[in-house]
Amino acid sequence: MSSEPRRSAGPQRGLIFGGVALLGALLFTSLVLLSSSVNPLEAYRLIFLGSFSSPIRMSDMVMLGAPLILCSAGLTLTFAAGLYNLGIEGQMIIGAVAAMLPLRLLSDLPVPLLWLLAFACGAAGGAAWALLAGGLRIGLRVNEIFAGLGLNFLASGIALYLVLGPWRRVGQASSSGTQPLPTDVWLPTLDKLRLAPAAPIIALLALALIWFAVTRTRWGLELRAVGMNPQAAGRMGIPATRRLAESFAACGAMAGLAGTIQVLGVFHQLIPSISSGIGLLALLVVLLVRANPVWVLPVAAAFAIFTVGSLQMPLALGADSSIAGVLQGAIVLFALLGRGLSMRK
């Protein structure tokens, strides 16, 4: 008998469970909205379409999507290696701190060179911070989840210390951020918009590079083999320890680039909450796409649309904009439940 129906059953089942997961998430979020006396249909209209209501909101969506894509793309590497890099937030913060160094110390250099140095330092800072978690995981057998969470707190403390201490604004110590960067150092933006075209370009190029590395190179094949069974991969001659460290470093570098975009293209200064929860949102993206780089772009774009679209809800409906986070989390939860039921079946 032909095996064609059997081969096509997997994708069909995946689409079915994906649709059921979305429906379940919408129903769950609707119950939350109804408990707050909010019309779910009107709320979903704002969530799904609000980010397209004006050019400024569309530009905000793109500027949120760029660092989200970078962090999500980096996390596909650690997830492929079987690692849960919950330290992505701290890596993004330290990347932003490192990017500030040339901007503050070498401000007399030509602006294009300053941009290159900022992105290089940001990537290096994020990679170094990720390797701290990697060293604890590989060398001392400390679970990367606990190591990453601890390093997140430390990174936040470092950023807050710099903002209130050595890098505080002239004549005041404000927790709102450091002295804003000179406008000529900001990434160029489109006229009357907050969109810096360099940000999405960098994000898409990085995503394409990671997709190629994971799916089209021997290195990516070895990384996935390590994620499936490190001991068996080692017996086959794959340097498992090195691949784990490389996945941490590459993920941290992507987070560092995201932090640099936050400094140069969004806030134009270092603030304590420079990561803006983007690293945690990227974890949801990667859980949903099963660490497959192919799906990072559409899912990250959808999450950016939900987040920016929901910002109108407090004024329009009197509901908190965090309802977008409820929807995003519910989608991931129901997708994981559906995946588990599918595997058991």
Side-chain angles (χ1 to χ4, degrees):
M1 294 179 63
S2 172
S3 61
E4 184 62 31
R6 187 175 302 169
R7 288 200 302 268
S8 61
Q12 290 176 357
R13 187 181 297 127
L15 290 174
I16 292 173
F17 277 105
V20 172
L22 179 59
L23 179 60
L26 291 173
L27 290 174
F28 176 82
T29 309
S30 296
L31 291 176
V32 175
L33 290 167
L34 288 172
S35 68
S36 303
S37 301
V38 176
N39 185 344
L41 294 179
E42 183 62 20
Y44 291 142
R45 185 187 69 80
L46 289 175
I47 290 174
F48 289 102
L49 301 177
S51 59
F52 300 99
S53 60
S54 70
I56 291 180
R57 295 193 190 280
M58 292 178 65
S59 65
D60 289 344
M61 176 190 67
V62 174
M63 291 305 293
L64 171 62
L68 180 58
I69 288 171
L70 283 167
C71 290
S72 302
L75 284 170
T76 61
L77 298 176
T78 50
F79 271 61
L83 300 167
Y84 291 87
N85 182 18
L86 267 66
I88 187 79
E89 284 273 312
Q91 293 149 29
M92 190 173 172
I93 293 171
I94 294 300
V97 169
M100 287 288 293
L101 292 174
L103 298 175
R104 292 181 61 89
L105 302 177
L106 305 172
S107 57
D108 293 335
L109 292 177
V111 171
L113 183 56
L114 272 179
W115 289 337
L116 289 176
L117 288 174
F119 277 107
C121 289
W129 201 251
L131 284 174
L132 284 178
L136 292 171
R137 167 67 172 80
I138 297 168
L140 300 179
R141 304 298 179 189
V142 177
N143 188 287
E144 70 274 8
I145 294 176
F146 301 116
L149 290 175
L151 288 170
N152 285 348
F153 283 109
L154 180 56
S156 297
I158 291 173
L160 183 59
Y161 164 73
L162 291 172
V163 169
L164 294 176
W167 292 355
R168 64 180 180 273
R169 295 188 181 189
V170 178
Q172 59 179 315
S174 172
S175 60
S176 62
T178 60
Q179 192 75 20
L181 297 170
T183 55
D184 60 337
V185 178
W186 299 3
L187 288 179
T189 59
L190 297 181
D191 187 34
K192 298 181 180 179
L193 296 177
R194 294 189 286 256
L195 173 59
I201 291 173
I202 292 171
L204 293 176
L205 288 176
L207 177 59
L209 178 62
I210 288 178
W211 169 83
F212 181 81
V214 171
T215 63
R216 295 293 185 269
T217 66
R218 179 182 178 86
W219 182 84
L221 180 62
E222 292 180 351
L223 192 68
R224 284 177 279 139
V226 170
M228 293 178 186
N229 193 321
Q231 290 75 24
R235 287 193 293 269
M236 294 173 61
I238 297 174
T241 299
R242 185 190 306 171
R243 294 293 175 264
L244 291 175
E246 289 169 350
S247 68
F248 265 117
C251 181
M254 294 297 105
L257 291 177
T260 306
I261 287 176
Q262 294 289 89
V263 168
L264 289 176
V266 179
F267 297 107
H268 310 119
Q269 60 182 160
L270 179 66
I271 64 173
S273 58
I274 193 74
S275 64
S276 302
I278 290 174
L280 298 178
L281 192 58
L283 287 167
L284 293 181
V285 172
V286 177
L287 283 172
L288 194 59
V289 304
R290 296 198 242 185
N292 186 345
V294 172
W295 293 101
V296 164
L297 178 59
V299 175
F303 276 26
I305 289 171
F306 298 165
T307 302
V308 174
S310 66
L311 296 178
Q312 302 176 70
M313 293 184 64
L315 291 177
L317 301 176
D320 196 275
S321 62
S322 60
I323 194 65
V326 174
L327 177 60
Q328 293 160 356
I331 290 174
V332 175
L333 174 61
F334 280 94
L336 292 176
L337 289 174
R339 189 183 308 165
L341 292 174
S342 176
M343 292 175 66
R344 288 191 63 183
K345 184 177 179 180

